[in-house]
Amino acid sequence: MPTLDDILEHIGEFDRFQKQTFFILCLLSASFTPVYVGVVFLGFIPEHRCSSPGVAELSQRCGWSLEEQLNHTVPEWDGHGASFSSRCRRYEVDWNATGISCTDPLGSLVGAGSTVPLGPCRDGWVYDSPGSSLVTEFDLVCENSWKLDLFQSAVNAGFFIGSINIGYIADRFGRKFCLLTTIAANIVCGILLVFVPSYLWIVIIRFLQGLVSKGCWTAGYILVTEVVGPQYRRTVGILYQAAFSVGLLVFDAIAYAIPHWRWLQLTVTLPTCFLLLYYWCLPESPRWLISQGKNDKAMKIVRNIAKKNQKKMPSHFKDIKFEEEYCGKQNPSLMDLFRTPQIRKNTLILMYNWFTSSILYQGLIMHMGMAAENMYLDFLYSALVEFPAAFIIIITIDRVGRRYPWALSNLVAGAACLATALIPEDIHWLKVITACIGRMGITMAFEMVCFVNTELYPTYIRNLGVMVCSSLCDIGGVIVPFIVYRLAEIWHDLPLIVFTVLGVIAGGLVLLLPETKGRVLPETVEDVENFHRQSAPKAKKIYLQVQGSEVALTSADPITQTLSSHEPDIQTQE
């Protein structure tokens, strides 16, 4: 029996219908940006110092400029307030006392040569920011700074749990049902974030948003790759991820125009209500319908694809009944990912690379937001480099291969992080350039691990392998806020040193994986174990139904694929 791919060759693999579906699903991909990297703007940390009662009145009486006021009343003020004491400690003196000198106020309060005691910020903080963020509203600084880490870790914990459950929903109830329910849930969570008054509820809702949002993005990725022909599948998948990069640019512009976090959250949530129109705009995945035995519904969608593509279905396809290829029933288990040497090596290396890609990608975005002279411009520059990253992948993976570009992208990311850490602060433009190079490198690595993961597992454990390995991405996302924000308190560029080590190790490990360029997807464990060999793929016998007789051909896989894509009556047997 012919497959859906055989029919798509005749009615259009990437024609008008698929392009329309691809475009409207790219809107979904772009809308995922505020959830994934929203902490950069929602949790922006402005320059801050302790609020000290009486300082403003004293400054006005003495006629101090702002810089003079800070030099006289803020501990260890060195012109930009970079130290812990200048941000989180204040002088334990009474600024409302009478007789305070305007030239040496501390000396007149405690005596010349005496040590001025320091204490915590009991009266809150003063923030040098025209807008508001989670940090300024809930004072998530100093002793409470870990709460901002928790805010971002909560959404990644939601990604981790939700991607497994949402994946089950997509396989059990369909891609379209999964999309619509998760979009609706994401809208509800996004709007609730605007109105809840307490930090605790914000973290809880952020976790719930993570539960549904990544699964929603993944369901869109699955659907868009299931309605196109095989030769377009990888390119469409990469461009679907590039739509996320477009979302970065839009999010940056909106955040620049709206510097108040609640209004920003509402502004990026309300447009996603239009995604509910997918109920009328999107079809169910015909591949999923076939897998559920709903061949009549699948055939109806196929006819609609042909109509929109203005193609005529061949007469021998019009009343065809799809059948799933028979393959021995195998129950995959977690141990199958570690049972044999090559699969075990693939699993461990892929898990580490998912983990590292997440840490470096999110970590560089967070660190650039902390270090930026102009947060919006630096975010813009780093987002723009994601487009050449996608272009380089598209032109190299089928010419050069997967392994060397993947390894090089990790090494470039690690080296760029090291260079960024060593460049002096006064050469900020050079730090931005090297950081952007690192961002481009890790973007390439992140996008490549997504599809190479599927090429290194046999069919019966492929979904399990992708699910388990990619879960390390979310675990990395839980950890990365603590790496960035806590280590930066020790040394501002210390997180970059950690990123360097992780990236270089990831690049070296990739070289231990087999090259998958030009190879068909492995079907069995033996295929994976023999990947390192350069011999031709296992021969197959192909039976052609020719006027009631069978002619047996022995052929390698590439010929098998060519024949099966053109002849509807081909049957393949091992």
Side-chain angles (χ1 to χ4, degrees):
M1 292 293 181
T3 65
L4 180 62
D5 289 337
D6 297 330
I7 296 180
L8 287 176
E9 283 196 2
H10 291 82
I11 65 173
E13 293 187 82
F14 191 63
D15 216 316
R16 182 179 177 183
F17 174 88
Q18 287 91 346
K19 290 175 182 177
Q20 174 184 308
T21 302
F22 169 70
F23 174 76
I24 60 180
L25 282 173
C26 281
L27 299 177
L28 172 68
S29 180
S31 71
F32 180 56
T33 300
V35 180
Y36 196 65
V37 298
V39 67
V40 175
F41 299 116
L42 301 178
F44 169 61
I45 308 173
E47 194 57 67
H48 53 278
R49 59 187 181 275
C50 292
S51 175
S52 299
V55 166
E57 291 79 2
L58 178 62
S59 177
Q60 185 177 6
R61 179 173 66 84
C62 293
W64 289 336
S65 65
L66 177 61
E67 188 63 30
E68 289 174 326
Q69 175 187 320
L70 297 177
N71 285 329
H72 286 311
T73 62
V74 177
E76 299 182 18
W77 183 261
D78 58 1
H80 61 276
S83 69
F84 174 80
S85 293
S86 64
R87 291 172 170 171
C88 302
R89 292 291 179 266
R90 71 177 188 181
Y91 292 123
E92 289 291 301
V93 296
D94 182 10
W95 295 106
N96 289 312
T98 57
I100 299 179
S101 168
C102 290
T103 56
D104 184 19
L106 292 176
S108 63
L109 285 168
V110 298
S114 301
T115 301
V116 183
L118 300 179
C121 302
R122 296 186 179 89
D123 297 290
W125 286 262
V126 176
Y127 298 96
D128 296 332
S129 171
S132 65
S133 71
L134 281 162
V135 171
T136 62
E137 182 169 334
F138 297 104
D139 288 333
L140 306 185
V141 292
C142 300
E143 288 79 6
N144 291 325
S145 58
W146 61 271
K147 292 183 178 180
L148 181 62
D149 309 359
L150 185 61
F151 170 78
Q152 182 64 11
S153 294
V155 74
N156 280 281
F159 291 162
F160 177 67
I161 299 173
S163 58
I164 299 174
N165 297 325
I166 300 300
Y168 168 78
I169 293 174
D171 288 338
R172 176 69 179 82
F173 299 103
R175 317 310 192 205
K176 186 174 179 178
F177 175 83
C178 177
L179 268 179
L180 292 172
T181 53
T182 51
I183 287 171
N186 193 41
I187 291 170
V188 171
C189 290
I191 292 176
L192 286 176
L193 275 175
V194 177
F195 298 105
V196 291
S198 69
Y199 166 80
L200 177 61
W201 275 107
I202 285 176
V203 171
I204 292 173
I205 294 173
R206 184 72 168 168
F207 170 77
L208 295 176
Q209 192 175 36
L211 278 177
V212 296
S213 56
K214 185 180 179 182
C216 177
W217 185 91
T218 305
Y221 181 91
I222 294 170
L223 180 56
V224 76
T225 56
E226 286 183 341
V227 297
V228 301
Q231 64 174 318
Y232 293 95
R233 202 165 291 148
R234 186 176 294 119
T235 300
V236 163
I238 293 171
L239 293 178
Y240 179 80
Q241 296 177 68
F244 175 85
S245 303
V246 176
L248 291 174
L249 301 179
V250 176
F251 185 43
D252 183 49
I254 296 174
Y256 177 76
I258 306 174
H260 301 278
W261 81 270
R262 290 189 186 270
W263 285 108
L264 174 61
Q265 175 64 34
L266 184 64
T267 303
V268 298
T269 299
L270 289 181
T272 59
C273 295
F274 289 103
L275 298 181
L276 294 174
L277 296 175
Y278 283 177
Y279 180 83
W280 293 277
C281 300
L282 286 179
E284 181 53 88
S285 167
R287 296 181 193 276
W288 179 80
L289 291 170
I290 294 168
S291 72
Q292 300 297 307
K294 300 177 180 180
N295 293 339
D296 292 339
K297 291 183 178 180
M299 202 63 209
K300 182 178 179 181
I301 292 174
V302 168
R303 292 191 187 99
N304 187 45
I305 293 175
K307 181 180 179 181
K308 286 195 175 182
N309 289 345
Q310 297 180 345
K311 299 290 180 67
K312 187 175 180 181
M313 279 191 62
S315 58
H316 54 284
F317 285 156
K318 287 185 177 179
D319 298 313
I320 199 79
K321 292 292 184 183
F322 296 100
E323 291 183 3
E324 289 187 275
E325 293 182 5
Y326 171 79
C327 46
K329 288 187 176 180
Q330 294 174 288
N331 296 316
S333 70
L334 186 62
M335 288 306 299
D336 290 333
L337 301 179
F338 303 93
R339 202 178 303 280
T340 58
Q342 186 63 46
I343 292 182
R344 179 166 57 248
K345 182 172 75 172
N346 292 351
T347 298
L348 294 175
I349 293 175
L350 287 168
M351 290 172 73
Y352 180 80
N353 269 270
W354 276 104
F355 177 78
T356 299
S357 295
S358 175
I359 285 185
L360 264 70
Y361 185 83
Q362 293 191 54
L364 282 172
I365 291 176
M366 293 179 192
H367 190 270
M368 184 167 283
M370 291 175 56
E373 289 185 354
N374 186 317
M375 175 177 61
Y376 304 102
L377 272 181
D378 289 358
F379 189 90
L380 172 66
Y381 299 148
S382 66
L384 287 173
V385 301
E386 295 197 4
F387 296 100
F391 177 73
I392 292 171
I393 292 174
I394 291 174
I395 64 174
T396 58
I397 55 173
D398 289 326
R399 292 175 174 82
V400 181
R402 283 86 157 122
R403 185 171 55 173
Y404 292 117
W406 186 11
L408 183 62
S409 62
N410 275 303
L411 294 174
V412 166
C417 288
L418 179 61
T420 304
L422 298 180
I423 294 172
E425 290 290 338
D426 55 349
I427 316 179
H428 181 72
W429 63 270
L430 187 57
K431 289 179 79 75
V432 172
I433 291 175
T434 54
C436 287
I437 293 173
R439 175 78 174 275
M440 182 171 68
I442 200 58
T443 298
M444 289 179 60
F446 213 158
E447 292 187 2
M448 293 191 76
V449 72
C450 290
F451 62 82
V452 174
N453 199 152
T454 65
E455 299 176 339
L456 292 174
Y457 286 109
T459 300
Y460 85 100
I461 59 170
R462 186 168 295 129
N463 286 339
L464 178 66
V466 173
M467 182 184 73
V468 171
C469 293
S470 64
S471 67
L472 269 292
C473 165
D474 302 321
I475 293 176
V478 171
I479 296 172
V480 68
F482 295 93
I483 294 177
V484 174
Y485 296 126
R486 294 314 104 223
L487 294 184
E489 291 185 352
I490 301 173
W491 174 37
H492 188 270
D493 289 328
L494 184 56
L496 297 176
I497 304 299
V498 176
F499 298 161
T500 298
V501 175
L502 293 175
V504 170
I505 293 175
L509 290 176
V510 166
L511 295 174
L512 301 178
L513 292 173
E515 178 57 67
T516 58
K517 174 195 170 188
R519 292 180 177 268
V520 296
L521 291 177
E523 298 290 339
T524 65
V525 172
E526 290 74 18
D527 291 341
V528 178
E529 292 301 312
N530 295 328
F531 243 154
H532 64 284
R533 300 179 184 176
Q534 298 300 317
S535 57
K538 182 175 61 175
K540 293 186 178 182
K541 284 186 177 179
I542 302 170
Y543 293 88
L544 302 180
Q545 305 261 356
V546 182
Q547 294 181 349
S549 62
E550 292 184 345
V551 181
L553 300 177
T554 300
S555 176
D557 281 329
I559 302 176
T560 301
Q561 288 184 313
T562 302
L563 287 171
S564 63
S565 66
H566 289 88
E567 289 293 334
D569 293 324
I570 290 175
Q571 296 175 348
T572 304
Q573 294 182 354
E574 296 291 343

